[in-house]
């Protein structure tokens, strides 16, 4: 990777089996430091949410938690609290950050991401297009990369995953650009 590049994986992993599959797939990526932006959706049992936290704790160095708006059956902070219980058991996770809003959590994760790192971002509203649009609005991905990231998904009602290489802004080089 050239200076400033990181990899973003956007996936709709909101349950135990989907998260385990994504983590297994990420094992093939060479990135040593990993960040996840994660929450659990609606109608999840407490023990399933805790288990998701345990999976995250073994696979990521940093986890940013947010309140998934689809979990309307729970009070704000409840799902992240259950995920924290699982994260507390993990051998790898060193940092857990709670940011209530998805876009703010993604922005915070990207501000902490260093060159050569990987970030797993859950989809926004179960839709990769919405996530790519949010990243485009943040200036993280260009319209060209947004189009490439969603290429081949036009015939699929809900694409499940995309990986993008992005160039991070360097704090020491204010003229550098994200793409």
């Amino acid at each position: 990777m050239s200076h400033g590049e990181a990899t973003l994986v956007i996936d709709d992993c909101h349950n135990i089996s989907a998260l385990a599959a994504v983590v297994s797939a990420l094992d093939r990526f060479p990135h040593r430091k990993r960040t996840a932006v994660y929450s659990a959706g609606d109608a999840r049992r407490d023990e399933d949410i805790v288990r998701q936290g345990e999976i995250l704790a073994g696979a990521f160095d940093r986890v940013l938690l947010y309140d998934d708006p689809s979990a309307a059956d729970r009070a704000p902070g409840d799902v992240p609290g259950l995920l924290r219980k699982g994260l507390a058991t993990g051998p790898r996770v060193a940092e857990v950050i709670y940011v209530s809003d998805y876009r703010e959590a993604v922005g915070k994760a990207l501000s902490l991401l260093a060159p050569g790192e990987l970030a797993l971002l859950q989809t926004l509203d179960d839709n990769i297009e919405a996530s790519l649009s949010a990243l485009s609005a943040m200036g993280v991905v260009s319209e060209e990369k947004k189009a490439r990231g969603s290429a081949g998904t036009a015939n699929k009602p809900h694409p499940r995953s995309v990986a993008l290489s992005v160039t991070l802004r360097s704090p020491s080089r204010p003229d550098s650009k994200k793409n």
Side-chain angles (χ1 to χ4, degrees):
M1 276 188 199
S2 64
H3 175 73
E5 282 193 7
T7 299
L8 301 180
V9 174
I10 305 168
D11 195 277
D12 186 31
C13 53
H14 283 84
N15 60 49
I16 294 170
S17 60
L19 178 58
V22 168
V23 166
S24 178
L26 293 179
D27 285 343
R28 297 182 189 114
F29 283 65
H31 308 80
R32 297 183 87 161
K33 182 132 187 203
R34 295 164 185 229
T35 296
V37 175
Y38 198 84
S39 191
D42 63 342
R44 304 279 184 243
R45 298 179 309 172
D46 288 0
E47 58 267 25
D48 292 340
I49 296 171
V50 172
R51 177 67 186 123
Q52 289 175 66
E54 292 169 352
I55 294 168
L56 292 166
F60 295 93
D61 304 286
R62 177 187 305 122
V63 178
L64 286 92
L65 303 173
Y66 67 95
D67 288 306
D68 187 323
S70 74
D73 59 329
R74 300 196 181 252
D78 282 356
V79 170
L82 291 167
L83 287 166
R84 278 184 185 274
K85 284 183 182 180
L87 286 162
T89 69
R92 181 171 180 170
V93 70
E95 184 177 12
V96 178
I97 301 168
Y98 170 71
V99 180
S100 63
D101 178 73
Y102 174 84
R103 286 180 177 86
E104 288 179 37
V106 169
K108 178 73 172 172
L110 294 173
S111 74
L112 297 171
L113 203 60
E117 293 184 3
L118 177 139
L120 169 66
L121 310 176
Q122 278 183 312
T123 57
L124 175 61
D125 299 327
D126 300 327
N127 184 323
I128 285 181
E129 288 297 323
S131 297
L132 290 171
S133 292
L135 289 169
S136 180
M138 290 178 200
V140 176
V141 294
S142 65
E143 287 298 317
E144 175 189 346
K145 278 204 176 188
K146 179 182 162 197
R148 275 190 299 178
S150 60
T153 64
N155 296 330
K156 298 177 185 176
H158 296 287
R160 301 305 243 173
S161 187
V162 67
L164 298 170
S165 178
V166 296
T167 302
L168 302 170
R169 288 186 185 157
S170 168
S172 62
R173 293 181 28 205
D175 63 329
S176 65
K177 296 179 183 173
K178 292 183 183 180
N179 64 8

